[in-house]
Amino acid sequence: MKIVINKILEKLDIDESAVFNIFAVTPSIEKAISYLEESNYTIVAQDIDSDKFVQLKVMDILYLEYLERQIFLYTKKRTLIMKDSLSNFSKTLPNEFVRISKSTIVNSLDIKTFIAQKNGNLTLETLSNEKLIVSRRYVTNVKKALQNSND
């Protein structure tokens, strides 16, 4: 197991290392390895403020919206834009990303709280204090994603 983790750290270009004495590879261990592998996956998008194209780690995305045939990517520090269809782009996203409406996908690891509404929708708050509406149709997706992140 030590070899696998070292290879992941090398791919991620991380100088830090850790040694784990693992007797069996459990689903939790597999999930941790998968997360380490996915955390370095990057895309290229255009910064709205500077119009420069930048490389962005996908796991830095808090949420994304599809508006006017463009995908707006929101991080803690900036907003970026890219041209792609939401259905096409969503296929490349890690499992931590969950659709909350027809045009919005959120990183489930960045969900801080959520509140049920009388109409069946949810209002969720991200770690960056953004409030997003989860439409009734996608409430089950959010609950599953949050449950999976706790497993």
Side-chain angles (χ1 to χ4, degrees):
M1 181 51 103
K2 184 177 176 182
I3 296 169
V4 172
I5 292 174
N6 284 340
K7 285 183 180 178
I8 291 170
L9 292 172
E10 286 172 15
K11 277 199 281 187
L12 297 177
D13 196 25
I14 296 175
D15 294 331
E16 301 169 349
S17 65
V19 177
F20 298 95
N21 295 318
I22 300 169
F23 299 104
V25 179
T26 63
S28 297
I29 299 296
E30 288 176 344
K31 187 174 181 179
I33 291 170
S34 174
Y35 180 75
L36 285 171
E37 290 174 333
E38 291 173 350
S39 66
N40 201 41
Y41 170 57
T42 61
I43 58 169
V44 175
Q46 187 175 10
D47 189 309
I48 285 184
D49 296 328
S50 67
D51 288 335
K52 291 181 182 177
F53 285 89
V54 296
Q55 195 169 24
L56 170 71
K57 287 186 179 182
V58 170
M59 294 308 289
D60 289 342
I61 299 170
L62 299 174
Y63 69 99
L64 53 102
E65 290 181 302
Y66 186 72
L67 301 166
E68 300 172 7
R69 295 185 171 201
Q70 299 179 91
I71 299 174
F72 289 80
L73 310 161
Y74 301 94
T75 69
K76 289 180 183 175
K77 297 180 181 178
R78 57 186 167 190
T79 302
L80 299 108
I81 193 168
M82 64 185 297
K83 294 189 187 299
D84 198 354
S85 71
L86 189 61
S87 62
N88 187 44
F89 184 67
S90 68
K91 292 174 188 173
T92 66
L93 292 172
N95 293 333
E96 287 79 15
F97 285 83
V98 60
R99 187 179 292 256
I100 63 169
S101 71
K102 185 178 176 183
S103 61
T104 308
I105 297 174
V106 68
N107 185 339
S108 64
L109 299 176
D110 290 313
I111 296 174
K112 181 165 63 173
T113 62
F114 63 91
I115 300 168
Q117 302 297 319
K118 291 179 183 178
N119 62 2
N121 293 346
L122 293 176
T123 301
L124 66 81
E125 186 175 353
T126 67
L127 293 174
S128 63
N129 298 320
E130 291 281 338
K131 292 192 179 177
L132 304 170
I133 302 297
V134 180
S135 66
R136 284 187 302 250
R137 181 178 175 192
Y138 297 96
V139 168
T140 306
N141 291 354
V142 173
K143 288 180 180 179
K144 284 180 185 176
L146 291 174
Q147 186 176 18
N148 289 339
S149 68
N150 288 328
D151 289 343

